[in-house]
């Protein structure tokens, strides 16, 4: 593969415009109309690739991997072999280690314009990279499938060794506009009647508990700010997604509504879990166009395998065997209501 430079590509179908860089397959911008036809960029991010490269902000817009979320103590055992990973968020390994998929330059394999514009990125992660076993071939394709819908298809094939794989798309959304302040007034519904409680280091304890009667209950639409003060710094929890209504073989994961613009995001996926995160650690980051992003200035809906699943036998397995393919699809369906 030729050594490619990080650059920004655009997908535009006349209604919605998305900017994505080959650095970490990162969504840097997504502009779409509100109820009055006014465009706003609903993604937290930066105007150029440098701040992403320098990790000025925590994983804004990127695909994280090889394994998203936390691996307890940065250790796991697979097929009798003990693996040790970088402890980049002590005491755990987070989002793939020191140099995860979010900070590598992916190859642009295909780039199509037209009414269903798309871009496909490829990356080959080598055996031992950030401590993980085996070579892994990864592709990610972003497509504007209709006027207001973005689809992301992620695939990974283990070439020669079994390995855990758990990719997540880490965009921080603010449907009122990236520079509009906090998201506490926006309402969220999550099709997850159970969640995985965490220890003091934000690693799941292994329990899978009902959300009913807890501040984690978003089974009915609820403003983010209603019970956020009851959950410490804010939400940063994995939900076990229910199997309910489907679209294109994907299950409904979440719905976000912004009262000011009437923008709505419906998210559909095929993963067992979803991390709901309310930008608890974002603190005065200088973003696009001079915007300053503070705490709770966006929310993440990271569909995923369960965190630390490699060390929790009762969680759905995130291991793929040699020759097997990992497949993860996300459908971001925007609307006005």
């Amino acid at each position: 593969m030729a050594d490619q430079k990080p650059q920004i590509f655009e997908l535009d179908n006349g209604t919605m415009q998305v900017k994505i860089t080959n650095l970490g397959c990162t969504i840097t911008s997504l502009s779409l109309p509100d109820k009055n036809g006014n465009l706003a960029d609903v993604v937290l991010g930066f105007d150029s690739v440098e701040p992403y490269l320098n990790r000025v902000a925590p994983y804004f817009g990127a695909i994280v991997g090889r394994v998203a979320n936390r691996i307890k103590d940065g250790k796991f055992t697979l097929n009798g072999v003990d693996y040790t990973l970088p402890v980049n968020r002590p005491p755990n390994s987070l989002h793939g280690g020191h140099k995860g998929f979010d900070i590598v330059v992916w190859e642009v394999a295909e780039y199509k314009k037209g009414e269903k514009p798309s871009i496909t990125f490829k990356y080959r992660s080598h055996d031992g990279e950030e401590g993980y076993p085996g070579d892994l071939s990864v592709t990610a394709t972003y497509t504007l499938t209709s006027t207001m819908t973005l689809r992301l298809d992620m695939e990974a094939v283990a070439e020669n060794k079994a390995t855990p794989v758990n990719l997540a798309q880490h965009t921080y959304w603010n449907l009122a506009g990236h520079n509009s302040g906090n998201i506490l007034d926006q309402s969220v519904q999550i099709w997850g009647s159970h969640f995985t409680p965490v220890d003091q280091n934000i690693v799941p304890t292994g329990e899978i508990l009902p959300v009913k009667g807890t501040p984690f209950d978003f089974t009915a639409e609820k403003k983010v700010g209603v019970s956020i003060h009851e959950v410490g710094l804010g939400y940063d929890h994995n939900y076990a997604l229910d199997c309910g209504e489907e679209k294109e073989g994907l299950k409904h994961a979440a719905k976000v509504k912004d009262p000011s613009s009437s923008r709505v995001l419906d998210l559909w996926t095929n993963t067992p879990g979803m991390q709901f995160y309310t930008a608890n650690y974002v603190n005065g980051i200088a973003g696009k166009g001079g915007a300053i992003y503070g705490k709770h200035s966006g929310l993440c809906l990271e569909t995923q395998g369960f965190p630390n699943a490699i060390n929790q036998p009762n969680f759905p397995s995130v291991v793929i065997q040699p020759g097997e393919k990992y497949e993860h699809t996300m459908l971001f369906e925007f609307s006005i209501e």
Side-chain angles (χ1 to χ4, degrees):
M1 160 189 144
D3 196 28
Q4 301 198 26
K5 282 201 178 75
Q7 50 183 309
I8 292 174
F9 301 86
E10 200 170 286
L11 302 179
D12 192 338
N13 61 10
T15 304
M16 184 163 127
Q17 181 201 62
V18 187
K19 292 181 179 173
I20 306 165
T21 169
N22 53 335
L23 179 72
C25 301
T26 299
I27 297 174
T28 64
S29 160
L30 189 152
S31 296
L32 72 164
D34 67 2
K35 59 188 174 197
N36 301 315
N38 299 318
L39 286 179
D41 180 354
V42 298
V43 166
L44 274 58
F46 303 104
D47 290 313
S48 67
V49 293
E50 281 72 33
Y52 295 101
L53 206 49
N54 299 328
R55 276 208 177 132
V56 168
Y59 308 102
F60 275 11
I63 290 179
V64 295
R66 179 177 305 196
V67 175
N69 219 298
R70 291 163 182 84
I71 293 180
K72 188 179 169 130
D73 301 329
K75 289 185 166 67
F76 68 91
T77 302
L78 184 57
N79 296 341
V81 181
D82 295 336
Y83 293 95
T84 304
L85 311 171
V87 175
N88 60 316
R89 188 63 58 88
N92 306 307
S93 189
L94 177 70
H95 291 329
H98 292 308
K99 192 176 181 185
F101 292 1
D102 65 295
I103 201 124
V104 297
V105 177
W106 297 50
E107 178 189 345
V108 179
E110 194 173 39
Y111 184 27
K112 289 194 240 175
K113 309 258 176 161
E115 69 182 67
K116 290 190 180 179
S118 70
I119 189 162
T120 299
F121 300 102
K122 282 189 176 173
Y123 179 64
R124 192 160 181 270
S125 174
H126 62 80
D127 182 25
E129 186 174 323
E130 294 299 307
Y132 288 97
D135 297 308
L136 187 74
S137 289
V138 192
T139 61
T141 301
Y142 291 95
T143 309
L144 300 188
T145 53
S146 67
T147 48
M148 298 269 277
T149 305
L150 169 67
R151 182 180 171 117
L152 168 60
D153 292 290
M154 295 175 269
E155 292 186 351
V157 176
E159 294 181 14
N160 36 38
K161 286 182 189 173
T163 182
V165 177
N166 186 15
L167 306 181
Q169 216 301 339
H170 210 302
T171 291
Y172 288 69
W173 303 98
N174 186 333
L175 294 185
H178 74 100
N179 54 352
S180 66
N182 70 52
I183 44 80
L184 300 178
D185 203 36
Q186 295 177 29
S187 64
V188 168
Q189 187 173 357
I190 297 173
W191 276 258
S193 50
H194 291 77
F195 78 114
T196 53
V198 293
D199 65 17
Q200 71 277 15
N201 297 315
I202 325 184
V203 173
T205 59
E207 301 165 287
I208 302 173
L209 298 182
V211 295
K212 197 174 164 65
T214 75
F216 301 100
D217 190 348
F218 285 91
T219 51
E221 192 182 301
K222 180 173 86 175
K223 286 195 187 292
V224 176
V226 169
S227 356
I228 197 167
H229 56 280
E230 298 173 45
V231 293
L233 288 173
Y235 295 98
D236 193 1
H237 294 76
N238 171 64
Y239 284 74
L241 296 175
D242 302 327
C243 293
E245 53 171 328
E246 289 205 347
K247 173 171 287 197
E248 297 173 36
L250 306 173
K251 55 194 175 185
H252 212 165
K255 180 174 197 162
V256 185
K257 276 188 191 176
D258 169 50
S260 64
S261 65
S262 299
R263 287 190 189 92
V264 175
L265 166 57
D266 281 283
L267 174 60
W268 306 76
T269 192
N270 61 345
T271 57
M274 183 188 78
Q275 192 84 0
F276 176 49
Y277 173 55
T278 49
N280 310 326
Y281 300 107
V282 175
N283 177 10
I285 290 170
K288 285 178 278 198
I292 301 291
Y293 304 134
K295 191 177 182 183
H296 308 318
S297 55
L299 53 84
C300 301
L301 305 164
E302 305 160 59
T303 56
Q304 62 181 5
F306 291 8
N308 196 38
I310 190 71
N311 291 313
Q312 286 291 356
N314 63 314
F315 284 0
S317 174
V318 292
V319 174
I320 59 167
Q321 300 299 328
E324 270 186 355
K325 187 187 277 187
Y326 161 95
E327 293 176 296
H328 178 178
T329 294
M330 302 175 82
L331 199 64
F332 301 93
E333 188 179 44
F334 296 95
S335 58
I336 305 291
E337 67 176 61

